[in-house]
Amino acid sequence: MTEHLSAKRIVVVEDDGLTSQSLRDYFKDHNAVLTYPSAEALLERPQDLNQIDLFIIDYRLPGMDGVELFEKLKLENANARFICISGEISMDLASRINEIGFDALILKPFDFAILEQNIASLTEA
């Protein structure tokens, strides 16, 4: 893992337990990683939203979807980077994600090297 991905505060919102745990395990040695199974679970803990560097948000979540969550978080987390992850990719989805302001869209299942490259390029910008 590059040094651009160290000492970051990362929030993962993913309802698939295996994907969520994989992300946590991958980043936890060098970062503070908080995981939530839904948008509502995260929003119930506003104290966890202080100084977040990176949000990794699943597009399809139970209840509030990833786009709705992004719209709630973006204004109060203007310095954070946002990555949308999705098991389905279409031109419409990619266009929508780009239009509303996500920094990246990554297809699941993802290669961690590709995810890391995306994060490194976002944190360098």
Side-chain angles (χ1 to χ4, degrees):
M1 188 177 310
T2 66
E3 64 186 62
H4 297 289
L5 301 177
S6 296
K8 301 288 184 207
R9 288 186 45 86
I10 301 171
V11 166
V12 175
V13 185
E14 168 61 69
D15 61 318
D16 178 76
L18 182 59
T19 302
S20 181
Q21 188 63 45
S22 294
L23 286 164
R24 177 184 211 127
D25 290 348
Y26 187 78
F27 292 115
K28 73 179 181 181
D29 289 343
H30 303 286
N31 302 280
V33 183
L34 303 170
T35 60
Y36 303 89
S38 69
E40 292 81 4
L42 170 60
L43 295 174
E44 289 173 0
R45 299 196 42 88
Q47 68 273 20
D48 291 350
L49 293 172
N50 296 327
Q51 300 176 331
I52 302 301
D53 297 299
L54 175 66
F55 289 90
I56 301 174
I57 302 172
D58 187 18
Y59 174 70
R60 291 224 185 266
L61 292 167
M64 183 186 305
D65 71 21
V67 170
E68 291 173 281
L69 177 60
F70 169 82
E71 289 171 340
K72 289 189 176 294
L73 296 174
K74 183 61 179 169
L75 289 177
E76 292 183 22
N77 296 278
N79 294 325
R81 298 301 186 170
F82 290 82
I83 294 177
C84 182
I85 56 176
S86 178
E88 57 185 81
I89 296 288
S90 69
M91 290 304 291
D92 288 340
L93 175 59
S95 177
R96 182 172 184 218
I97 294 300
N98 187 48
E99 277 179 20
I100 65 166
F102 269 96
D103 296 298
L105 171 63
I106 299 177
L107 179 63
K108 296 188 294 183
F110 43 79
D111 178 327
F112 278 98
I114 291 170
L115 179 64
E116 187 174 329
Q117 287 173 348
N118 273 275
I119 295 169
S121 69
L122 292 174
T123 58
E124 290 172 356

